[in-house]
Amino acid sequence: MDCLFCKIINGELPANKVYDDDLVVAFDDIAPKAPHHKLIVPKVHIATLNDLDKNHNPLLGHMIHTASVIAKDLGVAENGYRTIFNCNKDAGQVVFHIHLHLLAGRPMPGMTQ
Ligand code: 5GP
Ligand code: ZN
């Protein structure tokens, strides 16, 4: 399958991996939007959030928990961090293999406006 993140997962393309287990891998975003910008990616190919079914719920929980583990490892958990899933074009999704962004290391603009 011609998927960038599947290729990173199977080692065809390089990435700076910061976490790896049976279900997920996490690596540095190639174009970081914050001092720390990691992507938490499931090893199974799921194109968008719209392709999830309830059997994926434990996997999604694991992705979010992994973000918190990485944040603690980075030493940013207390100051805080932002996690984001983008879905389809209005959100700016460009890689169609779901991934959780973990952004930290600077204050993030509020989302209340
Ligand atoms: P999206 O907009 O789909 O939610 O985010 C995709 C993210 O993947 C972007 O932040 C982009 O910088 C990152 N990205 C795109 N291509 C690569 C790549 O080849 N390697 C890595 N590590 N990140 C990538
Ligand atoms: Zn994929």
Side-chain angles (χ1 to χ4, degrees):
M1 184 187 304
D2 195 26
C3 168
L4 187 64
F5 287 174
C6 283
K7 287 180 179 165
I8 288 175
I9 290 161
N10 70 26
E12 265 182 77
L13 288 175
N16 186 39
K17 289 186 187 159
V18 296
Y19 182 90
D20 193 354
D21 69 19
D22 288 350
L23 296 174
V24 302
V25 63
F27 47 83
D28 287 328
D29 194 292
I30 203 167
K33 314 298 187 299
H36 300 287
H37 187 172
K38 314 296 180 193
L39 302 172
I40 297 104
V41 183
K43 291 191 170 175
V44 63
H45 180 86
I46 302 167
T48 81
L49 294 187
N50 295 332
D51 300 299
L52 293 171
D53 63 55
K54 71 173 196 254
N55 295 323
H56 293 122
N57 287 358
L59 174 62
L60 271 288
H62 183 62
M63 289 172 70
I64 296 165
H65 180 245
T66 299
S68 78
V69 168
I70 294 169
K72 286 173 191 157
D73 284 351
L74 292 171
V76 299
E78 285 306 313
N79 271 0
Y81 51 93
R82 179 164 288 171
T83 54
I84 301 173
F85 282 107
N86 291 320
C87 182
N88 280 341
K89 65 175 169 29
D90 278 2
Q93 185 176 3
V94 295
V95 177
F96 287 87
H97 178 135
I98 65 166
H99 48 279
L100 181 60
H101 293 259
L102 168 62
L103 296 142
R106 65 165 171 83
M108 307 283 159
M111 297 186 73
T112 52
Q113 286 83 24

